[in-house]
Amino acid sequence: MLARLFARTVDVHAHCDLPCGVYDPAQARIEAESVKAIIAKVADSDDPDFRTRAVLIKEQRSELVKHHLWVLWTDYFKPPHFEKYPQLHTLFNEATKLAGASGTKGTMDADAADQLLAKIAEISEIFWETKKA
Amino acid sequence: MLARLFARTVDVHAHCDLPCGVYDPAQARIEAESVKAIIAKVADSDDPDFRTRAVLIKEQRSELVKHHLWVLWTDYFKPPHFEKYPQLHTLFNEATKLAGASGTKGTMDADAADQLLAKIAEISEIFWETKKA
Amino acid sequence: MLARLFARTVDVHAHCDLPCGVYDPAQARIEAESVKAIIAKVADSDDPDFRTRAVLIKEQRSELVKHHLWVLWTDYFKPPHFEKYPQLHTLFNEATKLAGASGTKGTMDADAADQLLAKIAEISEIFWETKKA
Amino acid sequence: MLARLFARTVDVHAHCDLPCGVYDPAQARIEAESVKAIIAKVADSDDPDFRTRAVLIKEQRSELVKHHLWVLWTDYFKPPHFEKYPQLHTLFNEATKLAGASGTKGTMDADAADQLLAKIAEISEIFWETKKA
Amino acid sequence: MLARLFARTVDVHAHCDLPCGVYDPAQARIEAESVKAIIAKVADSDDPDFRTRAVLIKEQRSELVKHHLWVLWTDYFKPPHFEKYPQLHTLFNEATKLAGASGTKGTMDADAADQLLAKIAEISEIFWETKKA
Amino acid sequence: MLARLFARTVDVHAHCDLPCGVYDPAQARIEAESVKAIIAKVADSDDPDFRTRAVLIKEQRSELVKHHLWVLWTDYFKPPHFEKYPQLHTLFNEATKLAGASGTKGTMDADAADQLLAKIAEISEIFWETKKA
């Protein structure tokens, strides 16, 4: 919790590709938190139109998770990072899969969102280490 | 600085309009920080193609600032807030104008970005007060 | 009816933010009319796939209403207008809320669309007064 | 001028493809008017960054002209219309070309915008005849 | 080199409107094949959330079919083509209608996708003739 | 039928994430070819507005290259592929970097486009091997 306190005070992601030099895994995490919130709201509702809207919006937020993660993987992380953290590619590949059809897009199961948030937390931990390095 | 430390640990904005219930002025601030970073990079470059890309990307980030602020103003803030903080409407109107053609879209002047960031900071202060209330 | 005849002959909205100088509340009204039409069509249909499509498209049109109104509020109206018409901020805030999750996005009730159209008509009336001034 | 008075009082285009049943060539015309306004503003400015923004925004508005026209051609006009007005296909093809790379996208010449507006006026005339029929 | 021959031998569509000079009806066909695949998957599923996602995605892919076809009709084909192939306008108009509300957007019937693919094949045949000419 | 064989023999990518099951690296390659074509056209032009449009459109096509590659990496390739082809992650990371600010977005140098196309060809080779397996 304390790590998060300090983590979220600094640079945040803005996907410029100018490049802007401004990145933060919080962007991906935020969208994943939205997905988690959507799933929770659906569990509490029996209105079919609300469920339709939830499916639509969950699809959009999940896609944003994928995008934010892909941008970090391509625009922020460099070859020296991938050498130092050999698990990084797999971590990103698994995380983006968890935000897709076989993950939060394709289910209303809260567990999918939790798995996705866990992966993002792993990525965030490495990200902040590289920032301090 | 300490306020920001604690401020940025909680809810973050995800523009769902489901509603998700997840908001944070940080999203607008982040985009404004990107705009500021773009302006700084342009000041250091004399490459015309780079300047073109910067104008294009600054236009996009500025539009995102406007959008994040509008969403807070419409989706997060409620009538009781506007009663308690009668300056809120004007604050949002001025901030969104500062991210438009007469503000950061229309200039490469760092001062425009600083004015925008100052307005967003004012909004953020009120936002976090309402969160604690 | 006659007022509408004369109202819709002049400037129309084009969201440039160059600025183009071309605005018209008709853009917001048009999208609200679409929302009203969608709701009416759904009332006449018992096809679940059609309803899904209607929910999706109503979400998109409602978002466009919000956007067109926000653009008028930020890009067209200036401080002298807000002084002359002190109800303007509230009018815009209520209108955009009526096109969101607590309004036309979140319901298939025709009444929500009618309330939204009524708000837009109020905005339009003020808009055309400022144009004549 | 009088034709425009009566023309713009009725149905307006909302590209639903639900279908909504709400169409109006004014949408295409409005974007073309924006393009014309952009070109005029550029003629009056010698600021290179302003010109860059104008090129960018003109590109976007021109693309919207193409889209609104394509939607009318596909979603509004039906086979009986194409039989009654055999010039309609060519009219639409020429108009959309005039809003592309060989038209308003590719030039700052006011004449291109005028040619485009003229084509849209021809389409509008036929459109309103079909509405009365 | 041989692998590429069989994989993709010629020009493909990239909607630049710079112009890039790169076009291929395969882009429209691909999206239509996706629509066909979506319809097939829905026939095999009784999960209502999956059906909602399928309706949403089919709407998006169908819109892309319309767009790719419109771009070919406006940006690639020229007046000499329309003279040589007088059926071309009608072919494009029918194809784009088949990807809309009265076609693949509005139904889960496989036959609609097949009709659309057949029209695209006709367009493709003419396209390749013009390429060889 | 034979013409289609040589024109396009196999599955192409349609980014559904339903999933549709339809993928092809040609999509990424096509956008890269567009980027290459844009760069070539700019080399032949001394019109500053044309160059601005080219920078804008090259930015958009490059972003599409990144997107198509990311989708293949996340949605098509599975863990057994990454085991069999351990160079795959690096290949995708390098390719997407080559379509970004440090690659084709940030330069008018034809060599950048050629390097990008070469990487995509390597990915394509592996892709087609996995298809045959």
Side-chain angles (χ1 to χ4, degrees):
Chain A
M1 176 68 179
L2 230 77
R4 273 183 64 188
L5 241 156
F6 290 96
R8 300 214 49 233
T9 58
V10 283
D11 286 338
V12 281
H13 165 67
H15 169 54
C16 288
D17 210 11
L18 177 64
C20 287
V22 172
Y23 299 96
D24 190 338
Q27 288 248 348
R29 183 175 52 79
I30 292 166
E31 298 300 346
E33 283 171 352
S34 289
V35 167
K36 187 177 162 77
I38 292 167
I39 288 170
K41 294 215 163 189
V42 164
D44 288 340
S45 164
D46 52 15
D47 170 5
D49 288 342
F50 182 80
R51 195 184 184 90
T52 299
R53 292 188 62 230
V55 167
L56 159 67
I57 296 170
K58 178 165 65 64
E59 194 81 10
Q60 297 168 343
R61 304 333 281 188
S62 297
E63 184 63 24
L64 283 170
V65 174
K66 293 176 82 178
H67 182 77
H68 287 305
L69 290 176
W70 283 327
V71 167
L72 281 176
W73 183 65
T74 290
D75 296 352
Y76 175 73
F77 285 104
K78 306 291 189 286
H81 299 138
F82 295 119
E83 274 200 54
K84 187 172 181 192
Y85 302 93
Q87 74 277 34
L88 208 52
H89 289 311
T90 299
L91 202 42
F92 270 102
N93 197 267
E94 288 174 347
T96 50
K97 276 170 163 61
L98 281 167
S102 53
T104 57
K105 280 189 181 184
T107 180
M108 278 300 178
D109 190 333
D111 194 55
D114 289 332
Q115 287 186 51
L116 175 57
L117 282 162
K119 283 292 169 193
I120 293 171
E122 287 190 64
I123 288 169
S124 188
E125 201 176 330
I126 294 175
F127 175 88
W128 289 112
E129 280 187 33
T130 66
K131 278 285 190 178
K132 283 183 239 142
Chain B
M1 177 74 180
L2 231 75
R4 272 183 64 189
L5 240 157
F6 290 95
R8 298 211 52 227
T9 56
V10 283
D11 287 339
V12 280
H13 163 68
H15 169 56
C16 288
D17 209 13
L18 176 65
C20 287
V22 172
Y23 300 96
D24 189 338
Q27 287 249 348
R29 183 176 52 77
I30 292 164
E31 297 303 343
E33 283 172 351
S34 290
V35 168
K36 187 178 162 77
I38 291 167
I39 288 170
K41 292 215 164 190
V42 165
D44 287 342
S45 164
D46 52 16
D47 171 6
D49 288 342
F50 181 80
R51 195 183 185 92
T52 300
R53 292 189 63 231
V55 167
L56 159 67
I57 296 170
K58 179 166 63 69
E59 193 83 9
Q60 296 168 345
R61 304 332 282 186
S62 298
E63 183 63 25
L64 283 170
V65 174
K66 294 176 80 177
H67 183 77
H68 286 305
L69 290 175
W70 283 330
V71 167
L72 280 175
W73 182 65
T74 291
D75 295 353
Y76 175 74
F77 285 104
K78 305 292 189 283
H81 298 137
F82 295 120
E83 273 201 53
K84 187 171 181 193
Y85 303 93
Q87 75 277 34
L88 208 53
H89 288 313
T90 299
L91 202 42
F92 270 101
N93 196 267
E94 289 174 347
T96 50
K97 278 172 162 61
L98 280 168
S102 53
T104 58
K105 279 189 181 184
T107 180
M108 277 301 178
D109 191 331
D111 194 55
D114 289 332
Q115 289 185 48
L116 175 57
L117 281 162
K119 285 291 169 194
I120 293 171
E122 288 190 63
I123 287 168
S124 187
E125 201 175 333
I126 294 174
F127 175 89
W128 289 113
E129 280 187 36
T130 65
K131 278 286 189 176
K132 281 182 241 145
Chain C
M1 177 69 181
L2 230 75
R4 273 183 65 190
L5 238 156
F6 290 96
R8 298 210 55 231
T9 57
V10 284
D11 287 335
V12 281
H13 165 67
H15 170 53
C16 288
D17 210 12
L18 177 67
C20 287
V22 172
Y23 300 96
D24 188 340
Q27 288 249 348
R29 182 175 53 77
I30 293 166
E31 298 300 346
E33 283 172 351
S34 290
V35 167
K36 186 178 162 77
I38 292 168
I39 288 170
K41 294 216 163 188
V42 164
D44 288 340
S45 164
D46 54 15
D47 171 5
D49 288 341
F50 181 81
R51 193 183 187 92
T52 299
R53 292 189 63 230
V55 167
L56 160 66
I57 296 171
K58 178 164 65 66
E59 194 82 10
Q60 297 168 344
R61 305 332 283 189
S62 298
E63 184 63 23
L64 284 170
V65 174
K66 293 177 82 177
H67 182 77
H68 287 306
L69 290 176
W70 283 329
V71 166
L72 281 176
W73 182 65
T74 290
D75 297 353
Y76 175 76
F77 285 104
K78 305 291 189 285
H81 298 137
F82 295 119
E83 275 201 53
K84 185 169 182 195
Y85 302 93
Q87 74 277 33
L88 208 53
H89 288 312
T90 299
L91 204 40
F92 269 102
N93 197 267
E94 289 174 345
T96 49
K97 278 171 161 63
L98 281 168
S102 52
T104 56
K105 279 190 182 183
T107 182
M108 278 300 179
D109 190 331
D111 194 55
D114 289 333
Q115 288 185 50
L116 176 58
L117 282 162
K119 284 292 170 193
I120 294 171
E122 288 190 64
I123 288 169
S124 187
E125 199 175 334
I126 293 175
F127 176 89
W128 289 112
E129 279 187 35
T130 66
K131 279 287 190 175
K132 283 183 239 140
Chain D
M1 176 73 181
L2 230 74
R4 273 182 65 188
L5 240 158
F6 291 95
R8 297 209 54 229
T9 58
V10 283
D11 285 337
V12 283
H13 164 67
H15 169 55
C16 289
D17 208 11
L18 177 65
C20 288
V22 172
Y23 300 95
D24 189 339
Q27 288 250 347
R29 183 176 52 78
I30 291 165
E31 297 302 343
E33 284 171 350
S34 289
V35 168
K36 186 177 163 77
I38 292 166
I39 289 171
K41 294 216 162 187
V42 165
D44 288 341
S45 165
D46 54 15
D47 170 7
D49 288 342
F50 182 80
R51 194 183 186 92
T52 299
R53 290 189 64 230
V55 167
L56 159 66
I57 295 170
K58 179 164 66 65
E59 194 82 8
Q60 296 169 345
R61 303 334 281 187
S62 298
E63 184 62 24
L64 283 169
V65 175
K66 294 177 81 177
H67 182 76
H68 287 305
L69 291 176
W70 284 329
V71 166
L72 281 175
W73 182 67
T74 291
D75 295 353
Y76 175 74
F77 285 104
K78 306 291 191 285
H81 298 139
F82 296 120
E83 274 199 53
K84 187 172 181 195
Y85 302 93
Q87 74 279 34
L88 208 52
H89 288 313
T90 299
L91 202 42
F92 270 101
N93 196 267
E94 288 172 348
T96 50
K97 279 171 162 59
L98 281 168
S102 54
T104 57
K105 281 190 181 183
T107 181
M108 279 298 179
D109 191 331
D111 194 55
D114 289 333
Q115 289 186 49
L116 176 57
L117 281 162
K119 284 291 170 194
I120 293 171
E122 288 191 63
I123 287 169
S124 188
E125 199 174 334
I126 293 174
F127 175 87
W128 289 112
E129 280 188 34
T130 64
K131 279 286 189 175
K132 283 182 240 146
Chain E
M1 177 71 181
L2 232 76
R4 273 184 67 188
L5 238 156
F6 290 94
R8 293 201 63 150
T9 57
V10 285
D11 286 336
V12 281
H13 164 67
H15 170 53
C16 290
D17 209 11
L18 177 65
C20 287
V22 172
Y23 300 95
D24 188 340
Q27 287 248 347
R29 182 175 53 78
I30 292 164
E31 298 300 344
E33 284 172 351
S34 289
V35 167
K36 187 177 161 76
I38 292 167
I39 288 170
K41 293 215 164 189
V42 164
D44 288 340
S45 165
D46 53 16
D47 170 6
D49 289 342
F50 182 80
R51 193 183 186 92
T52 300
R53 291 188 63 230
V55 166
L56 159 67
I57 296 170
K58 180 165 63 66
E59 194 82 10
Q60 297 168 343
R61 303 335 282 188
S62 297
E63 184 63 24
L64 283 170
V65 174
K66 293 176 82 178
H67 182 76
H68 287 305
L69 290 177
W70 284 328
V71 167
L72 281 176
W73 182 65
T74 290
D75 296 353
Y76 174 74
F77 285 104
K78 306 290 189 286
H81 299 138
F82 295 119
E83 275 201 53
K84 186 171 181 193
Y85 303 92
Q87 75 277 34
L88 209 51
H89 289 312
T90 300
L91 202 42
F92 270 102
N93 197 268
E94 289 173 347
T96 50
K97 277 170 163 60
L98 281 168
S102 53
T104 58
K105 279 189 182 183
T107 181
M108 279 300 179
D109 190 332
D111 193 54
D114 289 332
Q115 288 186 49
L116 176 57
L117 282 162
K119 284 292 170 192
I120 294 171
E122 288 191 63
I123 287 169
S124 187
E125 200 175 334
I126 293 174
F127 176 87
W128 290 113
E129 280 187 36
T130 65
K131 279 285 188 178
K132 283 182 239 141
Chain F
M1 177 67 181
L2 230 77
R4 273 184 66 188
L5 238 157
F6 290 96
R8 293 204 63 151
T9 56
V10 284
D11 285 338
V12 283
H13 165 67
H15 169 55
C16 290
D17 209 11
L18 177 65
C20 285
V22 172
Y23 300 96
D24 188 338
Q27 288 248 348
R29 183 175 52 77
I30 292 166
E31 298 301 344
E33 283 171 353
S34 288
V35 168
K36 186 177 162 76
I38 292 167
I39 288 171
K41 294 215 164 189
V42 165
D44 287 340
S45 164
D46 53 16
D47 171 6
D49 288 342
F50 182 82
R51 193 182 187 95
T52 300
R53 291 188 64 230
V55 167
L56 160 66
I57 295 170
K58 179 165 64 67
E59 194 83 9
Q60 296 169 344
R61 304 334 282 188
S62 298
E63 184 63 23
L64 284 170
V65 175
K66 294 177 81 177
H67 183 76
H68 287 306
L69 290 176
W70 285 327
V71 168
L72 280 176
W73 182 66
T74 291
D75 296 352
Y76 175 75
F77 285 104
K78 305 289 189 286
H81 297 139
F82 295 119
E83 274 200 52
K84 186 170 181 195
Y85 302 93
Q87 75 279 35
L88 209 52
H89 288 312
T90 300
L91 203 41
F92 269 101
N93 197 269
E94 289 174 347
T96 50
K97 278 171 162 60
L98 281 168
S102 54
T104 57
K105 279 190 181 184
T107 181
M108 279 298 179
D109 191 332
D111 194 55
D114 290 332
Q115 289 186 48
L116 175 57
L117 282 162
K119 284 291 171 192
I120 294 172
E122 288 191 63
I123 288 169
S124 187
E125 200 175 334
I126 293 175
F127 176 88
W128 289 112
E129 281 186 34
T130 64
K131 278 286 191 176
K132 283 183 239 143

